[in-house]
């Protein structure tokens, strides 16, 4: 849904970056092509001249041989020129790519942001990623091939002591993990005297020009005693303008195979209103952009209230799906049973479940908040709690499930 202007920008970016060595070798290739062309033209002119003298066959072969020899010389010239570039200046590709990135960052900063062109720039609190495979894998999946992902780790340390050496070591570990898991992500390690200061500093400083995190992905704390600490981090992230995804880790779905193709997977999105619903649908759609989820069924579920007009609700949801240009099944449930029971009945057999949430207003509500969602997700597969800050209408916001 990008504007035509933004689409042109993205196309220009792709054209400039595809084929790494093209930029570095372009001028040399053009010079070589001109040289080959000049030799070929010269040979052709010589052949024409020789035709008038009646020496066609022998001289023509001689001219063609000269052209072939010149072509070999040009090829050797191109190879040696590229080696000279790499030997004298290092690999020139990095410099050219850097320049294009710099120019595009400046262009991007000059463009007005629009929710229609939203892309996930995800900051993942991965900690030690070896123990959080589900979190890091969903981070890559939710990028959908169109977003940026950073695996970040906040550690306590002293930058005036061994903190820098620790940061370098953990950054290498993150980079190795990203490579071994074949993730499209960047590593980031932030050293701070304590986690709270480090977390706040990371959220504020991790950016380059217009590329700033707009989505925070973190795991759910199982220990109830961490509820207040966790709620504080959610509120801080909200104040800094980051949408949030909180993951209940119930493991990854089995790898697709012939007996379990991606098309057999199901993504259940529980719609409770416009506050978080739009982002939940966007993320579910991005999830299906990965091969492991290609063709998966998205279900848009809603538990109707007794005073709701079901026909109007059906029309409203169909309108949302149509405008979003994605495919989803609409399931409106008319049931007086408690939400926990309805949720488990309809979504326990899904591969992943999306629920909306808003953080508790203060620490006194943190324990109830933790208990509520721990109970809701207890019988579900991996569940993602979503807080959207893309569109917020403060007067209509309600704390709790949304």
């Amino acid at each position: 849904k990008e504007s035509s202007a933004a689409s042109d920008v993205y196309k220009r970016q792709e054209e400039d970056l595809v084929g790494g060595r093209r930029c570095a070798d372009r001028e040399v290739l053009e010079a070589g092509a001109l040289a080959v062309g000049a030799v070929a033209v010269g040979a052709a002119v010589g052949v024409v001249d020789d035709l008038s003298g009646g020496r066609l066959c022998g001289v023509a072969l001689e001219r063609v041989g000269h052209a072939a020899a010149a072509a070999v010389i040009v090829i050797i010239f191109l190879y040696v020129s590229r080696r000279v570039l790499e030997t004298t200046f290092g690999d020139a590709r990095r410099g050219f790519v850097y320049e294009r990135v710099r120019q595009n960052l400046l262009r991007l900063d000059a463009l007005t942001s629009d929710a229609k062109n939203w892309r996930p720039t995800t900051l993942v609190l991965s900690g030690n990623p070896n123990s959080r495979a589900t979190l890091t894998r969903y981070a890559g999946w939710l990028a959908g091939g169109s977003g940026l992902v950073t695996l970040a780790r906040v550690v306590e340390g002293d930058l005036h002591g061994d903190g820098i050496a620790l940061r370098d070591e953990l950054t290498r570990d993150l980079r190795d993990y990203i490579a071994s898991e074949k993730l499209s992500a960047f590593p980031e390690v932030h050293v701070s005297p304590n986690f709270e200061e480090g977390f706040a500093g990371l959220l504020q400083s991790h950016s380059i020009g217009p590329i700033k995190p707009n989505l925070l992905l973190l795991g759910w704390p199982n220990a109830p005693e961490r509820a207040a600490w966790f709620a504080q981090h959610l509120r801080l992230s909200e104040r800094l303008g980051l949408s949030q995804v909180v993951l209940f880790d119930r493991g990854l779905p089995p790898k697709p195979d012939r007996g379990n193709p991606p098309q057999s997977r199901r993504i259940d999105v529980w719609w409770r209103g416009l506050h978080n619903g739009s982002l939940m649908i966007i993320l579910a759609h991005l999830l299906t952009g990965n091969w492991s989820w290609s063709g998966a069924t998205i279900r848009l579920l809603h538990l109707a209230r007794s005073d709701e007009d079901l026909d109007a609700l059906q029309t409203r949801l169909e309108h949302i799906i149509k405008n979003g240009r994605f495919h989803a099944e609409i399931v409106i449930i008319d049931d007086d049973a408690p939400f926990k029971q309805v949720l488990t009945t309809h979504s326990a057999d899904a591969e992943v479940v999306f629920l909306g949430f808003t953080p508790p207003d203060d620490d006194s509500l943190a324990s109830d908040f933790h208990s509520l969602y721990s109970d809701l997700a207890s019988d579900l597969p991996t569940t993602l709690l979503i807080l959207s800050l893309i569109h917020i209408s403060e007067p209509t916001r309600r704390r709790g499930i949304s």
Side-chain angles (χ1 to χ4, degrees):
K1 294 185 178 180
E2 301 164 344
S3 66
S4 59
S7 178
D8 290 341
V9 171
Y10 289 127
K11 288 180 181 177
R12 286 197 299 271
Q13 292 173 359
E14 292 176 0
E15 292 170 357
D16 289 335
L17 295 178
V18 168
R21 290 191 182 272
R22 184 178 62 187
C23 293
D25 295 335
R26 183 179 296 152
E27 294 183 358
V28 178
L29 286 172
E30 290 175 351
L34 288 173
V36 172
V39 171
V41 170
V45 171
V47 169
V48 172
D49 290 340
D50 290 330
L51 281 173
S52 63
R55 292 177 287 116
L56 170 62
C57 295
V59 176
L61 289 174
E62 182 182 355
R63 297 295 184 181
V64 172
H66 290 168
V72 171
I73 293 173
V74 170
I75 291 172
I76 295 173
F77 170 73
L78 291 175
Y79 174 78
V80 172
S81 298
R82 183 158 60 189
R83 296 298 297 173
V84 169
L85 278 173
E86 293 182 357
T87 302
T88 306
F89 304 104
D91 191 342
R93 292 176 298 174
R94 185 176 179 88
F96 281 101
V97 171
Y98 180 91
E99 177 60 21
R100 296 307 301 163
V101 171
R102 185 188 73 84
Q103 292 180 13
N104 287 325
L105 282 173
L106 293 173
R107 284 182 191 169
L108 184 62
D109 195 37
L111 296 174
T112 303
S113 61
D114 191 315
K116 294 180 180 179
N117 298 323
W118 186 86
R119 297 287 186 275
T121 305
T122 309
L123 185 63
V124 186
L125 292 186
S126 62
N128 180 0
N130 292 292
S131 61
R132 299 183 180 180
T134 304
L135 184 73
T136 58
R137 182 58 59 185
Y138 269 96
W141 282 339
L142 293 175
S146 63
L148 298 174
V149 177
T150 299
L151 301 189
R153 187 170 184 178
V154 178
V155 293
E156 295 184 1
D158 181 8
L159 288 175
H160 299 287
D162 60 357
I164 293 179
L166 176 63
R167 184 191 64 181
D168 293 343
E169 177 185 354
L170 294 179
T171 300
R172 285 193 299 270
D173 291 344
L174 274 178
R175 197 178 297 278
D176 291 343
Y177 176 84
I178 289 169
S180 66
E181 295 297 319
K182 298 180 180 179
L183 298 174
S184 297
F186 302 99
E188 179 74 20
V189 176
H190 197 91
V191 178
S192 180
N194 59 70
F195 185 89
E196 283 70 23
E197 290 183 11
F199 177 70
L202 176 67
L203 295 188
Q204 294 179 82
S205 63
H206 183 70
S207 65
I208 175 169
I211 305 295
K212 304 177 186 299
N214 55 23
L215 188 67
L216 178 69
L217 175 58
L218 65 168
W220 179 262
N222 293 320
E225 58 269 19
R226 299 179 63 192
W229 170 85
F230 184 68
Q232 292 171 10
H233 293 159
L234 296 181
R235 290 197 298 272
L236 174 60
S237 304
E238 183 183 20
R239 289 198 296 270
L240 290 174
L242 277 77
S243 298
Q244 298 164 34
V245 178
V246 181
L247 182 140
F248 280 89
D249 189 352
R250 303 291 187 262
L252 295 168
K255 291 184 178 180
D257 54 33
R258 290 186 178 181
N260 179 35
Q263 295 84 355
S264 66
R265 293 185 172 183
R266 198 178 82 230
I267 304 167
D268 279 1
V269 179
W270 285 85
W271 183 279
R272 302 279 292 182
L274 288 176
H275 171 207
N276 293 317
S278 297
L279 181 57
M280 288 195 291
I281 287 294
I282 291 172
L283 294 178
H285 178 67
L286 289 174
L287 192 59
T288 62
N290 301 274
W291 178 84
S292 297
W293 294 88
S294 178
T297 300
I298 299 176
R299 293 202 310 173
L300 192 58
L301 300 100
H302 179 81
L303 178 59
R305 299 188 300 269
S306 58
D307 59 343
E308 280 188 300
D309 184 336
L310 299 186
D311 291 336
L313 177 61
Q314 177 79 23
T315 301
R316 173 186 171 192
L317 295 179
E318 289 175 352
H319 178 72
I320 292 170
I321 292 174
K322 181 179 179 181
N323 285 347
R325 296 182 182 179
F326 54 81
H327 300 285
E329 296 179 3
I330 298 174
V331 181
I332 297 177
I333 303 166
D334 188 6
D335 195 329
D336 293 331
F339 179 65
K340 154 73 172 175
Q341 180 180 333
V342 175
L343 176 63
T344 303
T345 299
H346 289 271
S347 292
D349 59 342
E351 273 64 40
V352 65
V353 177
F354 288 71
L355 291 172
F357 85 100
T358 49
D361 287 321
D362 55 59
D363 291 350
S364 64
L365 302 174
S367 180
D368 291 340
F369 169 81
H370 187 275
S371 297
L372 170 65
Y373 283 98
S374 295
D375 181 56
L376 287 176
S378 60
D379 298 317
L380 297 177
T382 291
T383 300
L384 305 180
L385 304 183
I386 311 296
L387 169 68
S388 173
L389 297 184
I390 299 177
H391 286 106
I392 294 181
S393 177
E394 289 293 342
T396 62
R397 290 187 60 183
R398 296 179 298 169
R399 295 283 162 180
I401 303 173
S402 56

